[in-house]
Structures are given as structure tokens and as C-alpha cells.
Amino acid sequence: MALSVHTLPLRFLVPRPQPTRSQGAPSPRLPLSSAPAPCRHKNQEDNHSYYVSRLYGPSEPRSRQLWVDVAEANRSQVKIHTILSNTHRQASRVVLSFDFPFYGHLLRQITIATGGFIFMGDVIHRMLTATQYVAPLMANFNPGYSDNSTVVYFDNGTVFVVQWDHVYLQGWEDRGSFTFQAALHRDGRIVFGYKEIPMSVPEISSSQHPVKTGLSDAFMILNPSPDVPESRRRSIFEYHRIELDPSKITSMSAVEFTPLPTCLQHRSCDACLSSDLSFNCSWCHVLQRCSSGFDRYRQEWMDYGCAQEAEGRTCEDFQDEYHNSASPDTPFSPYDGDLTTTSSSLFIDSLTTEDDTKSNPYAGGDGLQNNLSPKTKGTPVHLGTIVGIVLAVLLVAAIILAGIYINGHPTSNAALFFMERRPHHWPAMKFRSHPDHSTYAEVEPSGHEKEGFMEAEQC
């Protein structure tokens, strides 16, 4: 059975999961025409390439053992988020006390949403509920409906727990309150605990908000825009998803996800190329990274030509090439020009971007071409360019000095002039709003509202 794809609003494309009991997308090494690897079924256990999930029913002791009793935890480590506990469709960023491995990537910052999920991406985008999430029960919850509803999080340095406590579904308040949690363990395990589920999850309507239970991750790449050559279009690919069977989500049940090894864990060429993982691991000598090419570092993998570099080469070839082309005084660089070596999300602040529809990333393997090309070596710098740079530096310096002066003299005429004429809203990121799709507002961790809305659409 071949993977199929479907187009989302705003020209966004993701692979459609196969209709199995508990689903996970196939390994990135599989071609588009190949069927997903069969899941193992043993005591509610499924293998999803990146994680092994185990479902524990209400009668199994393990389900109670996995539940983290936040009420009995150290009060200094438990925080009730006052904004999330009193509003609808809000999201807030939280910094973890430890590095949490998610699909092989170490994360320190996450975003908690009132809708029963955690956004795991480092770039907030309009598809907030579509990709890069940990969702014990994503739905249209409104913690602001009742004074007893709270969103609580707990961090003791070993585990980070988010608990949606006595929250109600918008428009379904008469069905009762939900209490459930998601626990992120330092070793990479993810646990969903369900204490009170007053209605069958398949009955929950997804017309106003997506309803999901599971995990998802994606990578973002930038492609040249045909309309504006100097700008780039941002495309997001969901390369893996796990969807649990919603009918199995009941009160006092639990789901445990145990991470499987990925290419990113290998730190040397020998360990990478000798790996017996189900992924097709390749070593990129320039980045000193082992990867299948399908992870959050996809942009770098393309920019530095890692796929072409690794074709038919051994670790000895890389070492010989390095010694022949590099010297102690001249470090090796893949390009003569300057290219970023960080994740592709850093491009966003400096480039004009827009969402674009892309074909399934499995098709053609590394057929996605590099977005950046080397700069021409030895290009002369014209006088006009130097003058422009100097003027730009002076302008920035003037703006900074003016800001410092206004901040230090709030009653001056200049400060009053700008305050009277400032816009009513200063959005951090602004997207078109559609009434038919769920929209989230991001709030600062300190509790102050942040003006700027993120549009989240169902995939």
C-alpha cells in the first residue's frame, strides 16, 4: 500500500498515516512506493521506528505506577500557570531544567497549550496543532470555564509533567471534566496518564479543534520563491507521526513511549556507518554528524551537500580527504562563502518566508535539492556597498541611542510623541485568522499576554 498525501490549507502538505490500530509513519529509508513496516502486536505494544508504545488498561498496576501525583510533589517544584488556567486557546513557553531527547533531538524549551498538548517545535508557526507535538489528548479544552480547572506543571530535574486538571470541553461542559497528564522523562520516555475521561474520545468533535492522541515531529526547509527571487518560502514536512487508537483512551489507563536509537546518537564515522539501525545512517564529515537526512537538521544536511558527500565513501576516504585538503592554519570549509551552520529556523528572522506545498519527502530520497549555492570567490567590494553598510550601522546606532534616551526620559517630548503615535498592537508574528480553524495566542512565561496570534489548523 503506497503512502498518500493530501494538501492542507495555506498550501501545507503532510503524509497521511495508514489506518492501523496504533499508527506510526514508516522509516524515512523506505521509498514512497513501499508499504510501512508492520507493527508488532504483543500486550498492546507497537513499534513505530522511533518509539515503542505500550498501552496499559485500567486493571493493570503499571497504569497507576506511571501516574505522577503532582499533589504529593514538592510544592516548590509545582507551578499552576495562572494564565493558561483561566483562558481558552492559549499557549505558553516553558524552559526545562534538563535536555529532553525528542526524536533524537535535545530540547530545552517547550510550549504548553490549553488544548491538551505540548508543542515541541522551536519555531512557532500557524500549524501549531499539526506537527511537532506531544498530545495525550488534544481537543478543544477551555480551562477558563471553571474555577476548579487548572493547568499545572512540575519539574524535579528528572521528569517534567504537565497536568490538565478538571478541564472541560468547550460546548460539551455537561459531559464532565477531564484530568490527564503528559510526563517527559530525562531518559527520553514519554508517558500519557489518564485519570478522568468522562466520555468516549471518538465522540469528541473535531469541527472546531483537532482531536489527536500521539506524537509527531517535522523538519522545515527554505526554498527560493519564484515570485520574489531574493526571498525564500518556508515548507514544513511532517516526517513521522504516531496516532493512538482513541477508543483505548479511558479513565485510569496509561501509554508509555520508549525511544528507540536514531542516527543522531552516533558521534563518530565508524559508529555511524557500522550502525545496524533500521535507518539508513550516513556520515557528514563537514558537520561531524550522523543522520538519515530526515530530521530537524535537514536544512543543514542539504546546504552542505551531505547526501552527495556520503555516497560510496568510507571513513578512511573522509580522513584522507581531510588531510589532503586542510592544514592547521586553514580549517576545512565546504564553501568559500559564509553559510549558516545552525538549524534552519534561524533563517526566518532575516528572510521573507511563506508556507508552500511540497511533495512527500520520501519520494526520491535525497531528491530535495540544496537551497543555497556557494558565493563566487574573489568578488570585488564596491565603494557604494561600503557606504551603504556604514550608513546602515549609523542608522542602527542612532535608533539604539534614541531608544536609550526615551527609556531614560519617559516624560520628555520625544517619548510622549512616540507613545501617542504608537500602534495599538505590536504583534510578534501575525497570520490571517480564519473562524473555522482553531487559533492560539501565545503568552509570556511570566504570565503577561503577548500580542500576536498563531493560527493552528487541522491536518
Side-chain angles (χ1 to χ4, degrees):
M1 180 184 297
L3 277 175
S4 60
V5 294
H6 63 282
T7 304
L8 294 175
L10 304 175
R11 298 183 297 170
F12 182 89
L13 198 69
V14 297
R16 178 180 298 166
Q18 301 298 318
T20 59
R21 178 181 62 80
S22 182
Q23 303 178 13
S27 168
R29 70 181 296 180
L30 293 176
L32 182 63
S33 59
S34 297
C39 296
R40 292 185 300 165
H41 299 275
K42 181 181 179 182
N43 297 327
Q44 303 295 317
E45 176 180 312
D46 283 337
N47 190 316
H48 310 279
S49 299
Y50 290 89
Y51 289 88
V52 172
S53 67
R54 295 178 178 88
L55 174 64
Y56 301 95
S59 61
E60 299 184 64
R62 182 63 175 166
S63 62
R64 290 170 173 77
Q65 295 172 2
L66 292 174
W67 179 264
V68 179
D69 195 340
V70 177
E72 296 183 358
N74 188 334
R75 290 186 176 273
S76 63
Q77 299 171 338
V78 178
K79 296 182 180 179
I80 298 177
H81 200 292
T82 55
I83 295 296
L84 296 183
S85 300
N86 293 281
T87 53
H88 180 218
R89 290 180 182 174
Q90 294 278 348
S92 178
R93 302 190 189 196
V94 176
V95 178
L96 307 180
S97 64
F98 56 89
D99 291 327
F100 174 69
F102 184 64
Y103 281 89
H105 306 92
L106 297 180
L107 307 182
R108 182 57 74 97
Q109 181 174 269
I110 62 173
T111 302
I112 303 173
T114 56
F117 69 98
I118 305 173
F119 179 67
M120 308 297 287
D122 56 352
V123 178
I124 301 294
H125 55 81
R126 68 188 68 189
M127 308 301 290
L128 186 68
T129 61
T131 60
Q132 297 181 311
Y133 57 77
V134 169
L137 181 52
M138 182 191 297
N140 194 17
F141 291 108
N142 180 13
Y145 172 77
S146 171
D147 292 338
N148 294 327
S149 301
T150 57
V151 178
V152 184
Y153 61 94
F154 161 73
D155 188 347
N156 65 0
T158 302
V159 61
F160 180 89
V161 181
V162 181
Q163 181 167 312
W164 293 264
D165 194 72
H166 293 94
V167 294
Y168 292 81
L169 284 170
Q170 179 79 359
W172 296 66
E173 291 84 1
D174 59 334
R175 302 300 292 269
S177 65
F178 293 71
T179 297
F180 56 94
Q181 63 180 216
L184 311 180
H185 292 262
R186 189 165 189 163
D187 59 4
R189 287 184 302 119
I190 301 173
V191 176
F192 295 165
Y194 305 94
K195 187 175 182 180
E196 297 178 2
I197 305 296
M199 61 181 293
S200 174
V201 174
E203 294 182 36
I204 302 176
S205 173
S206 60
S207 60
Q208 299 298 321
H209 191 288
V211 178
K212 300 178 182 179
T213 56
L215 313 176
S216 173
D217 198 28
F219 59 79
M220 184 182 67
I221 62 174
L222 298 171
N223 294 302
S225 173
D227 301 325
V228 186
E230 62 273 12
S231 68
R232 296 183 182 277
R233 293 180 297 190
R234 183 176 59 184
S235 301
I236 301 174
F237 292 88
E238 182 187 55
Y239 67 90
H240 190 262
R241 182 196 298 180
I242 299 175
E243 289 190 349
L244 302 175
D245 185 349
S247 65
K248 302 294 177 63
I249 305 302
T250 60
S251 298
M252 301 312 298
S253 64
V255 181
E256 183 178 25
F257 298 90
T258 303
L260 295 173
T262 66
C263 299
L264 294 174
Q265 73 179 17
H266 298 305
R267 302 300 181 184
S268 67
C269 179
D270 292 331
C272 179
L273 298 186
S274 61
S275 172
D276 58 354
L277 301 179
S278 59
F279 303 101
N280 186 17
C281 299
S282 300
W283 178 256
C284 184
H285 190 70
V286 178
L287 299 177
Q288 291 290 294
R289 180 182 301 149
C290 183
S291 173
S292 64
F294 288 90
D295 51 45
R296 296 191 181 189
Y297 304 118
R298 174 69 183 184
Q299 184 74 53
E300 275 188 335
W301 195 260
M302 295 164 55
D303 293 343
Y304 283 86
C306 293
Q308 293 77 13
E309 176 190 274
E311 290 181 357
R313 296 192 181 184
T314 63
C315 297
E316 290 74 13
D317 296 334
F318 288 128
Q319 294 175 357
D320 294 340
E321 182 178 321
Y322 176 80
H323 291 304
N324 293 334
S325 60
S327 63
D329 298 327
T330 308
F332 177 77
S333 176
Y335 297 112
D336 293 324
D338 296 327
L339 293 176
T340 180
T341 59
T342 57
S343 63
S344 60
S345 61
L346 299 183
F347 282 102
I348 294 181
D349 293 334
S350 59
L351 297 174
T352 303
T353 62
E354 63 181 59
D355 290 308
D356 184 31
T357 299
K358 285 293 170 184
S359 59
N360 189 285
Y362 305 107
D366 294 304
L368 296 174
Q369 297 179 352
N370 293 351
N371 293 324
L372 304 178
S373 59
K375 297 179 183 178
T376 304
K377 186 175 181 179
T379 304
V381 180
H382 298 285
L383 179 62
T385 302
I386 298 177
V387 174
I389 294 175
V390 173
L391 292 177
V393 172
L394 292 176
L395 178 61
V396 172
I399 294 175
I400 294 175
L401 292 176
I404 295 174
Y405 175 81
I406 292 174
N407 185 62
H409 303 80
T411 59
S412 64
N413 292 332
L416 294 175
F417 176 85
F418 284 105
M419 290 178 64
E420 292 173 355
R421 290 161 177 78
R422 69 180 180 88
H424 181 65
H425 293 289
W426 297 87
M429 296 179 70
K430 187 175 181 181
F431 299 109
R432 288 187 301 237
S433 178
H434 297 284
D436 297 334
H437 299 92
S438 54
T439 304
Y440 275 82
E442 186 189 5
V443 297
E444 297 289 357
S446 59
H448 299 289
E449 289 193 16
K450 182 175 183 179
E451 301 175 47
F453 291 87
M454 315 304 155
E455 181 176 334
E457 303 191 15
Q458 180 180 1
C459 61

mmCIF file of all heavy atoms in Angstrom, residues 190-220:
data_model
loop_
_atom_site.group_PDB
_atom_site.id
_atom_site.type_symbol
_atom_site.label_atom_id
_atom_site.label_comp_id
_atom_site.label_asym_id
_atom_site.label_seq_id
_atom_site.Cartn_x
_atom_site.Cartn_y
_atom_site.Cartn_z
ATOM 1 N N ILE A 190 8.276 9.040 27.250
ATOM 2 C CA ILE A 190 7.102 9.907 27.303
ATOM 3 C C ILE A 190 5.941 9.067 27.820
ATOM 4 O O ILE A 190 5.688 7.975 27.313
ATOM 5 C CB ILE A 190 6.764 10.491 25.916
ATOM 6 C CG1 ILE A 190 7.951 11.292 25.375
ATOM 7 C CG2 ILE A 190 5.511 11.355 25.983
ATOM 8 C CD1 ILE A 190 7.757 11.763 23.935
ATOM 9 N N VAL A 191 5.245 9.570 28.836
ATOM 10 C CA VAL A 191 4.148 8.825 29.437
ATOM 11 C C VAL A 191 2.886 9.675 29.413
ATOM 12 O O VAL A 191 2.907 10.846 29.821
ATOM 13 C CB VAL A 191 4.468 8.414 30.890
ATOM 14 C CG1 VAL A 191 3.272 7.719 31.525
ATOM 15 C CG2 VAL A 191 5.695 7.501 30.935
ATOM 16 N N PHE A 192 1.797 9.088 28.914
ATOM 17 C CA PHE A 192 0.483 9.709 28.978
ATOM 18 C C PHE A 192 -0.301 9.028 30.091
ATOM 19 O O PHE A 192 -0.459 7.799 30.074
ATOM 20 C CB PHE A 192 -0.280 9.551 27.663
ATOM 21 C CG PHE A 192 0.346 10.263 26.488
ATOM 22 C CD1 PHE A 192 -0.057 9.965 25.187
ATOM 23 C CD2 PHE A 192 1.323 11.231 26.663
ATOM 24 C CE1 PHE A 192 0.500 10.607 24.105
ATOM 25 C CE2 PHE A 192 1.901 11.876 25.583
ATOM 26 C CZ PHE A 192 1.483 11.566 24.296
ATOM 27 N N GLY A 193 -0.786 9.796 31.042
ATOM 28 C CA GLY A 193 -1.601 9.253 32.115
ATOM 29 C C GLY A 193 -3.001 9.840 32.075
ATOM 30 O O GLY A 193 -3.169 11.056 31.897
ATOM 31 N N TYR A 194 -4.000 8.995 32.240
ATOM 32 C CA TYR A 194 -5.394 9.430 32.167
ATOM 33 C C TYR A 194 -6.097 9.049 33.471
ATOM 34 O O TYR A 194 -6.250 7.871 33.784
ATOM 35 C CB TYR A 194 -6.101 8.779 30.981
ATOM 36 C CG TYR A 194 -5.399 9.022 29.659
ATOM 37 C CD1 TYR A 194 -4.474 8.094 29.163
ATOM 38 C CD2 TYR A 194 -5.627 10.174 28.922
ATOM 39 C CE1 TYR A 194 -3.819 8.313 27.961
ATOM 40 C CE2 TYR A 194 -4.975 10.405 27.727
ATOM 41 C CZ TYR A 194 -4.073 9.477 27.251
ATOM 42 O OH TYR A 194 -3.419 9.692 26.056
ATOM 43 N N LYS A 195 -6.525 10.053 34.218
ATOM 44 C CA LYS A 195 -7.198 9.816 35.492
ATOM 45 C C LYS A 195 -8.713 9.866 35.342
ATOM 46 O O LYS A 195 -9.430 8.993 35.842
ATOM 47 C CB LYS A 195 -6.741 10.848 36.522
ATOM 48 C CG LYS A 195 -7.250 10.583 37.922
ATOM 49 C CD LYS A 195 -6.652 11.577 38.913
ATOM 50 C CE LYS A 195 -7.111 11.281 40.336
ATOM 51 N NZ LYS A 195 -6.525 12.240 41.309
ATOM 52 N N GLU A 196 -9.221 10.890 34.656
ATOM 53 C CA GLU A 196 -10.659 11.032 34.455
ATOM 54 C C GLU A 196 -10.942 11.340 32.986
ATOM 55 O O GLU A 196 -10.567 12.404 32.492
ATOM 56 C CB GLU A 196 -11.222 12.148 35.330
ATOM 57 C CG GLU A 196 -11.090 11.911 36.824
ATOM 58 C CD GLU A 196 -11.630 13.076 37.645
ATOM 59 O OE1 GLU A 196 -12.141 14.039 37.027
ATOM 60 O OE2 GLU A 196 -11.536 13.023 38.874
ATOM 61 N N ILE A 197 -11.574 10.407 32.310
ATOM 62 C CA ILE A 197 -12.016 10.598 30.929
ATOM 63 C C ILE A 197 -13.523 10.296 30.920
ATOM 64 O O ILE A 197 -13.933 9.136 30.830
ATOM 65 C CB ILE A 197 -11.270 9.673 29.950
ATOM 66 C CG1 ILE A 197 -9.761 9.846 30.089
ATOM 67 C CG2 ILE A 197 -11.709 9.949 28.516
ATOM 68 C CD1 ILE A 197 -9.247 11.217 29.713
ATOM 69 N N PRO A 198 -14.364 11.316 31.069
ATOM 70 C CA PRO A 198 -15.788 11.083 31.299
ATOM 71 C C PRO A 198 -16.589 10.652 30.080
ATOM 72 O O PRO A 198 -17.751 10.273 30.218
ATOM 73 C CB PRO A 198 -16.277 12.451 31.801
ATOM 74 C CG PRO A 198 -15.354 13.427 31.154
ATOM 75 C CD PRO A 198 -14.015 12.736 31.102
ATOM 76 N N MET A 199 -16.003 10.701 28.897
ATOM 77 C CA MET A 199 -16.730 10.305 27.696
ATOM 78 C C MET A 199 -15.783 9.611 26.733
ATOM 79 O O MET A 199 -14.558 9.682 26.864
ATOM 80 C CB MET A 199 -17.352 11.530 27.014
ATOM 81 C CG MET A 199 -16.344 12.567 26.561
ATOM 82 S SD MET A 199 -17.088 14.028 25.784
ATOM 83 C CE MET A 199 -17.776 13.328 24.290
ATOM 84 N N SER A 200 -16.349 8.916 25.775
ATOM 85 C CA SER A 200 -15.533 8.214 24.790
ATOM 86 C C SER A 200 -14.814 9.222 23.906
ATOM 87 O O SER A 200 -15.442 10.149 23.365
ATOM 88 C CB SER A 200 -16.425 7.300 23.939
ATOM 89 O OG SER A 200 -15.678 6.707 22.896
ATOM 90 N N VAL A 201 -13.513 9.071 23.765
ATOM 91 C CA VAL A 201 -12.718 10.020 22.976
ATOM 92 C C VAL A 201 -13.184 10.095 21.516
ATOM 93 O O VAL A 201 -13.223 11.187 20.943
ATOM 94 C CB VAL A 201 -11.222 9.674 23.077
ATOM 95 C CG1 VAL A 201 -10.397 10.568 22.149
ATOM 96 C CG2 VAL A 201 -10.739 9.813 24.511
ATOM 97 N N PRO A 202 -13.536 8.983 20.851
ATOM 98 C CA PRO A 202 -14.021 9.102 19.463
ATOM 99 C C PRO A 202 -15.273 9.958 19.322
ATOM 100 O O PRO A 202 -15.576 10.430 18.215
ATOM 101 C CB PRO A 202 -14.309 7.643 19.073
ATOM 102 C CG PRO A 202 -13.396 6.830 19.934
ATOM 103 C CD PRO A 202 -13.354 7.570 21.233
ATOM 104 N N GLU A 203 -16.010 10.199 20.406
ATOM 105 C CA GLU A 203 -17.201 11.036 20.337
ATOM 106 C C GLU A 203 -16.868 12.522 20.300
ATOM 107 O O GLU A 203 -17.723 13.341 19.945
ATOM 108 C CB GLU A 203 -18.108 10.765 21.538
ATOM 109 C CG GLU A 203 -18.727 9.385 21.591
ATOM 110 C CD GLU A 203 -19.643 9.231 22.794
ATOM 111 O OE1 GLU A 203 -20.322 10.228 23.137
ATOM 112 O OE2 GLU A 203 -19.657 8.147 23.386
ATOM 113 N N ILE A 204 -15.647 12.901 20.685
ATOM 114 C CA ILE A 204 -15.282 14.315 20.750
ATOM 115 C C ILE A 204 -15.231 14.889 19.338
ATOM 116 O O ILE A 204 -14.574 14.352 18.457
ATOM 117 C CB ILE A 204 -13.932 14.503 21.459
ATOM 118 C CG1 ILE A 204 -13.986 13.913 22.868
ATOM 119 C CG2 ILE A 204 -13.544 15.973 21.518
ATOM 120 C CD1 ILE A 204 -12.667 13.978 23.613
ATOM 121 N N SER A 205 -15.915 15.997 19.145
ATOM 122 C CA SER A 205 -15.985 16.628 17.834
ATOM 123 C C SER A 205 -14.671 17.330 17.495
ATOM 124 O O SER A 205 -14.047 17.969 18.352
ATOM 125 C CB SER A 205 -17.125 17.649 17.795
ATOM 126 O OG SER A 205 -17.105 18.389 16.589
ATOM 127 N N SER A 206 -14.251 17.215 16.241
ATOM 128 C CA SER A 206 -13.039 17.883 15.755
ATOM 129 C C SER A 206 -13.376 19.036 14.818
ATOM 130 O O SER A 206 -12.504 19.516 14.100
ATOM 131 C CB SER A 206 -12.137 16.872 15.033
ATOM 132 O OG SER A 206 -12.811 16.296 13.935
ATOM 133 N N SER A 207 -14.614 19.482 14.802
ATOM 134 C CA SER A 207 -15.019 20.548 13.878
ATOM 135 C C SER A 207 -14.411 21.890 14.256
ATOM 136 O O SER A 207 -14.111 22.712 13.378
ATOM 137 C CB SER A 207 -16.545 20.656 13.843
ATOM 138 O OG SER A 207 -17.056 20.960 15.135
ATOM 139 N N GLN A 208 -14.218 22.140 15.548
ATOM 140 C CA GLN A 208 -13.674 23.416 15.999
ATOM 141 C C GLN A 208 -12.216 23.321 16.429
ATOM 142 O O GLN A 208 -11.562 24.349 16.632
ATOM 143 C CB GLN A 208 -14.507 23.938 17.175
ATOM 144 C CG GLN A 208 -15.964 24.199 16.841
ATOM 145 C CD GLN A 208 -16.133 25.265 15.774
ATOM 146 O OE1 GLN A 208 -15.413 26.260 15.762
ATOM 147 N NE2 GLN A 208 -17.081 25.048 14.875
ATOM 148 N N HIS A 209 -11.718 22.101 16.589
ATOM 149 C CA HIS A 209 -10.341 21.926 17.057
ATOM 150 C C HIS A 209 -9.916 20.494 16.747
ATOM 151 O O HIS A 209 -10.709 19.563 16.885
ATOM 152 C CB HIS A 209 -10.270 22.175 18.567
ATOM 153 C CG HIS A 209 -8.886 22.280 19.128
ATOM 154 N ND1 HIS A 209 -8.044 21.186 19.257
ATOM 155 C CD2 HIS A 209 -8.195 23.344 19.593
ATOM 156 C CE1 HIS A 209 -6.901 21.593 19.794
ATOM 157 N NE2 HIS A 209 -6.959 22.900 20.007
ATOM 158 N N PRO A 210 -8.664 20.272 16.329
ATOM 159 C CA PRO A 210 -8.204 18.906 16.075
ATOM 160 C C PRO A 210 -8.280 18.038 17.325
ATOM 161 O O PRO A 210 -8.067 18.516 18.446
ATOM 162 C CB PRO A 210 -6.747 19.092 15.624
ATOM 163 C CG PRO A 210 -6.658 20.502 15.178
ATOM 164 C CD PRO A 210 -7.631 21.270 16.016
ATOM 165 N N VAL A 211 -8.584 16.778 17.154
ATOM 166 C CA VAL A 211 -8.599 15.806 18.240
ATOM 167 C C VAL A 211 -7.546 14.748 17.917
ATOM 168 O O VAL A 211 -7.674 14.010 16.936
ATOM 169 C CB VAL A 211 -9.986 15.154 18.406
ATOM 170 C CG1 VAL A 211 -9.948 14.113 19.516
ATOM 171 C CG2 VAL A 211 -11.032 16.210 18.709
ATOM 172 N N LYS A 212 -6.494 14.678 18.738
ATOM 173 C CA LYS A 212 -5.378 13.773 18.454
ATOM 174 C C LYS A 212 -4.833 13.210 19.756
ATOM 175 O O LYS A 212 -4.881 13.859 20.805
ATOM 176 C CB LYS A 212 -4.250 14.497 17.716
ATOM 177 C CG LYS A 212 -4.639 15.103 16.377
ATOM 178 C CD LYS A 212 -3.468 15.830 15.750
ATOM 179 C CE LYS A 212 -3.856 16.485 14.435
ATOM 180 N NZ LYS A 212 -2.728 17.230 13.823
ATOM 181 N N THR A 213 -4.291 12.024 19.665
ATOM 182 C CA THR A 213 -3.559 11.406 20.775
ATOM 183 C C THR A 213 -2.317 10.745 20.185
ATOM 184 O O THR A 213 -2.424 9.804 19.410
ATOM 185 C CB THR A 213 -4.416 10.352 21.505
ATOM 186 O OG1 THR A 213 -4.872 9.382 20.560
ATOM 187 C CG2 THR A 213 -5.606 10.997 22.185
ATOM 188 N N GLY A 214 -1.149 11.246 20.524
ATOM 189 C CA GLY A 214 0.073 10.655 19.995
ATOM 190 C C GLY A 214 1.219 11.642 19.912
ATOM 191 O O GLY A 214 1.248 12.665 20.606
ATOM 192 N N LEU A 215 2.174 11.340 19.033
ATOM 193 C CA LEU A 215 3.383 12.136 18.854
ATOM 194 C C LEU A 215 3.558 12.500 17.394
ATOM 195 O O LEU A 215 3.064 11.806 16.499
ATOM 196 C CB LEU A 215 4.626 11.365 19.324
ATOM 197 C CG LEU A 215 4.591 10.646 20.661
ATOM 198 C CD1 LEU A 215 5.894 9.867 20.860
ATOM 199 C CD2 LEU A 215 4.375 11.625 21.797
ATOM 200 N N SER A 216 4.297 13.563 17.143
ATOM 201 C CA SER A 216 4.607 13.952 15.764
ATOM 202 C C SER A 216 5.850 14.829 15.761
ATOM 203 O O SER A 216 6.095 15.585 16.704
ATOM 204 C CB SER A 216 3.430 14.719 15.142
ATOM 205 O OG SER A 216 3.775 15.237 13.866
ATOM 206 N N ASP A 217 6.637 14.719 14.695
ATOM 207 C CA ASP A 217 7.772 15.613 14.517
ATOM 208 C C ASP A 217 7.908 15.959 13.041
ATOM 209 O O ASP A 217 7.416 15.239 12.158
ATOM 210 C CB ASP A 217 9.073 14.992 15.037
ATOM 211 C CG ASP A 217 10.153 16.045 15.262
ATOM 212 O OD1 ASP A 217 9.786 17.208 15.532
ATOM 213 O OD2 ASP A 217 11.345 15.731 15.166
ATOM 214 N N ALA A 218 8.584 17.062 12.771
ATOM 215 C CA ALA A 218 8.691 17.572 11.401
ATOM 216 C C ALA A 218 9.989 18.344 11.258
ATOM 217 O O ALA A 218 10.640 18.705 12.242
ATOM 218 C CB ALA A 218 7.499 18.474 11.075
ATOM 219 N N PHE A 219 10.381 18.596 10.007
ATOM 220 C CA PHE A 219 11.508 19.486 9.754
ATOM 221 C C PHE A 219 11.056 20.579 8.797
ATOM 222 O O PHE A 219 10.063 20.449 8.083
ATOM 223 C CB PHE A 219 12.723 18.734 9.176
ATOM 224 C CG PHE A 219 12.475 18.021 7.876
ATOM 225 C CD1 PHE A 219 12.448 18.709 6.664
ATOM 226 C CD2 PHE A 219 12.296 16.645 7.859
ATOM 227 C CE1 PHE A 219 12.234 18.039 5.477
ATOM 228 C CE2 PHE A 219 12.075 15.966 6.667
ATOM 229 C CZ PHE A 219 12.052 16.667 5.471
ATOM 230 N N MET A 220 11.783 21.682 8.820
ATOM 231 C CA MET A 220 11.461 22.826 7.979
ATOM 232 C C MET A 220 12.610 23.124 7.034
ATOM 233 O O MET A 220 13.780 23.080 7.430
ATOM 234 C CB MET A 220 11.170 24.060 8.832
ATOM 235 C CG MET A 220 10.721 25.276 8.032
ATOM 236 S SD MET A 220 10.444 26.704 9.109
ATOM 237 C CE MET A 220 12.114 27.029 9.674
#
